[in-house]
Amino acid sequence: MVDAAASTKGDLHLTNLVKAFGDFRAVDDLSLVIPEGSFFALLGPSGCGKTTTLRMIAGLEEPTSGKISIGNTDITYAKPYARPVNTVFQNYALFPHLSIFENVAFGLRRRGIKDVKEAVTKVLALVELGHLAERKPVQLSGGQQQRIAVARAIVNRPALLLLDEPLGALDLKLRRQMQIELKWIQTEVGLTFVHVTHDQEEAMTMADTIAVMNEGRIEQMGSPVELYESPRTVFVANFLGQSNLVKGKVEGASGSDLQVSVHGNRIVVPSARNFAKDNSDKSVLIGIRPEKISIEHPEANTLGGGVITDISFVGVSTQFQIQMPWGQELSVFEQNDGGASHLQKGDTVALSWKPEFTFALDGTADVDAGTSVNPDEI
Amino acid sequence: MAFVAAISKRSSTVRGIKRPSTPYLLLIPGLSWLAMFFIFPLFTLASTSTQTAPEGADTGTYVQTFRLANYIDAFVASREQFLRSIIYALIATLLALAISYPLAYAIAFKSGKWKNLLLVLVVAPFFTSFLLRTIAWKQILGNEGPVVTVLRTLHVLGPQSGLTASAFAVVTGMTYNFLPFMTLPLYASLERIDPRTLEAASDLYANGLTTFRKVTFPLSLPGVVAGTLLTFIPAAGDYINATLLGNPKTKMIGNVIESRFFEIVDYPTAAALSFMLMAAILILVMAYVRRAGTDELV
Ligand SMILES: Nc1ncnc2c1ncn2[C@@H]1O[C@H](COP(=O)(O)OP(=O)(O)OP(=O)(O)O)[C@@H](O)[C@H]1O
Ligand SMILES: [Mg+2]
């Protein structure tokens, strides 16, 4: 804690940030702190305000209200060129009249650095495009342009680097490789990265902290493990991975546990994992991740009478769709360790899991919020 | 694989036979127009330029004698007007560029919902004839007009001096008349610039002026080249502005050609001068385009 004062020096603070286009609020009262030197991922569905947030931090969009500061310096209204911030644009925005080399050298030259050759050559080698230095942007493929956009920003080593889906156009192999490179640069140089992505796996593997954004607000913020194991809203539970959510009624509490009745079954939830804001009407949603459920081994929490309607084999695991007596379909992922291989479509099974994996959410919420079959994304 | 290869082979032969013929067909109307109204007159003009008048023939009767010295005579007689044409056209082009660039920039980037209205206003002068516009310009610069009145009140001009019948009137008249030819290509190339590249420049530490110098202006160069050519070429050959707004000391090469042709009926000299004007413009334009390096521009 001795370091606390020092480490807040370059933290990025967004305070009650609002951006309205007409009467539509693209970013709605957003507040967060991004510690200096951290890798921060902003995850959310299309149109939730990620790009708008980055544009305000970069100074390309003026907030309707709220404050942006780095350390103690208020930069809310600073000009974009006066901020120690660089952006990798979602649409690349390379300079069409300049060669790749000059594109990358642009920021260095503007800061009066005379000898740019070494830095540019090095960063071009990093993105493996050194051989294209003399080409023009139109002569590059989409993925190559994207890597140049990354190179053009990181060559400046800014205090804060904003990356708007910087790897979206790359194939899986190159994407993984660039993820490692980016992560390496970030830790090596100690830059703060704000990384916008659609790819949950990318966010989970790279980021120290993930903020899940929805309709201009932060739904939940925390480490990848925290977000995955303890989602606090239905949106997060569905958007990050998959969740089974079942309606239930709180019956009472015993010790540190909550007793919930779920379609006649008694389910135990640790009180600490009850994230419903208000239990006054006693209705809750019980949540359990599919891979936490076991079909074979009895545990304290059990829902019986399910019928297997679909089995799909996906290599490391097998995914079961199970129809419960009240009509709802639940998902179960079983490891392919031989235990569940005899199960067949139409079998009646009981689903069991340990109470500590259960979480409880607000019972009035829409069960489908944040599921991947989002009308925007089809 | 074989199937794919077969298909690609077939489509390439289809391409090989069918494709080139369409562009050639499309060229026919344009080429025949050019042949009829440009190439053919050009040959007539070339043939006229080396003719001479036989002894004792009527005015306007000339025979072909291949006298190349016609060119030297013509040039010696009117080199003053030649030089003046080039200088006036250059000044008018530079003035038009200085006026049009901010105008085109404002229309392309800052006009918002007024964009279309402003574009119509730029083109609006074309709704009246060239001649009428030039006469109107004479009125504006006239001794009773607003410009002279204001300048006299400010004692910039003496009570007896005016602006018409002067080099000033000719050059500003040309500037005014050819302004849309400058503004429209400039607007077109500025409009094409992706505003996000300008945002990227400001994100990469370029302030407004640097962004203009390093990104906006280089990207608008094709418009600058097109606009200056479209202004300079007709301005160099123009004679209406000099006729209506000038005095005998501001005569341009267009005036000489016009009077040789219609008044003195000296066809060979008029033809020789026309050719030399064309050659001069061509050489200047080629040198200019080379320097601007338009091929390099996207
Ligand atoms: N200039 C603008 N005028 C009006 N509405 C806008 C403007 N820019 C963005 N919006 C709206 O604001 C919302 C958020 O847009 P934004 O670009 O921030 O989304 P995003 O989260 O980056 O989405 P994606 O993942 O698709 O890039 C969208 O609904 C969009 O239509
Ligand atoms: Mg976006």
Side-chain angles (χ1 to χ4, degrees), chain A residues 37-342:
Chain A
S38 67
F39 199 119
F40 189 91
L42 210 51
L43 194 62
S46 184
C48 73
K50 304 181 297 287
T51 298
T52 309
T53 306
L54 288 197
R55 287 174 59 82
M56 286 192 283
I57 301 171
L60 301 170
E61 205 89 67
E62 192 171 290
T64 309
S65 66
K67 198 178 133 189
I68 303 169
S69 52
I70 295 181
N72 295 322
T73 323
D74 185 339
I75 58 161
T76 316
Y77 301 105
K79 295 279 183 214
Y81 54 81
R83 302 181 184 212
V85 176
N86 285 124
T87 311
V88 179
F89 291 87
Q90 190 168 12
N91 44 57
Y92 325 145
L94 301 178
F95 304 118
H97 60 300
L98 297 179
S99 68
I100 295 309
F101 185 94
E102 284 304 320
N103 262 280
V104 176
F106 194 91
L108 297 175
R109 291 204 196 280
R110 298 292 82 72
R111 285 185 299 157
I113 295 166
K114 284 272 144 19
D115 192 22
V116 299
K117 188 150 172 77
E118 197 192 323
V120 174
T121 312
K122 229 164 117 184
V123 78
L124 281 177
L126 192 70
V127 297
E128 298 189 351
L129 291 176
H131 57 295
L132 301 181
E134 294 315 312
R135 291 223 195 145
K136 290 283 174 66
V138 281
Q139 297 167 305
L140 263 54
S141 75
Q144 290 171 334
Q145 290 184 31
Q146 194 160 44
R147 281 184 278 162
I148 296 303
V150 172
R152 186 178 67 171
I154 57 178
V155 74
N156 299 297
R157 305 271 145 126
L160 180 59
L161 188 68
L162 309 176
L163 304 109
D164 200 346
E165 304 201 26
L167 311 176
L170 306 182
D171 60 52
L172 200 63
K173 184 165 165 280
L174 203 52
R175 193 173 237 246
R176 294 282 169 260
Q177 192 182 326
M178 286 288 292
Q179 285 173 1
I180 293 165
E181 300 285 12
L182 282 178
K183 183 78 193 162
W184 182 82
I185 293 165
Q186 191 259 336
T187 38
E188 193 72 4
V189 193
L191 310 177
T192 311
F193 275 34
V194 181
H195 185 114
V196 162
T197 175
H198 269 128
D199 182 346
Q200 305 176 15
E201 201 182 324
E202 186 172 297
M204 301 246 235
T205 52
M206 296 178 83
D208 313 321
T209 311
I210 299 177
V212 177
M213 211 174 158
N214 183 30
E215 293 180 348
R217 280 178 237 250
I218 301 285
E219 287 271 334
Q220 190 180 345
M221 204 167 106
S223 71
V225 176
E226 205 177 317
L227 249 62
Y228 188 80
E229 300 297 352
S230 314
R232 281 162 193 271
T233 66
V234 174
F235 183 87
V236 176
N238 286 329
F239 190 77
L240 216 63
Q242 245 177 295
S243 296
N244 293 304
L245 298 172
V246 186
K247 275 195 179 3
K249 222 165 188 68
V250 179
E251 304 257 272
S254 64
S256 62
D257 288 337
L258 216 56
Q259 313 288 334
V260 182
S261 152
V262 176
H263 299 280
N265 304 280
R266 167 155 301 202
I267 297 294
V268 179
V269 185
S271 299
R273 293 176 58 78
N274 172 22
F275 305 123
K277 281 178 221 102
D278 172 25
N279 285 129
S280 53
D281 68 343
K282 299 209 183 294
S283 78
V284 286
L285 283 173
I286 294 299
I288 182 74
R289 296 283 186 185
E291 74 280 6
K292 303 287 188 332
I293 301 177
S294 165
I295 296 178
E296 296 289 289
H297 311 284
E299 298 282 357
N301 283 343
T302 299
L303 295 173
V307 177
I308 300 177
T309 57
D310 191 44
I311 303 175
S312 42
F313 177 77
V314 289
V316 292
S317 69
T318 303
Q319 308 194 349
F320 296 89
Q321 288 297 314
I322 293 164
Q323 180 152 39
M324 301 312 288
W326 57 93
Q328 192 179 359
E329 292 241 337
L330 299 183
S331 302
V332 176
F333 301 163
E334 289 278 358
Q335 283 305 112
N336 280 334
D337 50 9
S341 55
H342 65 278

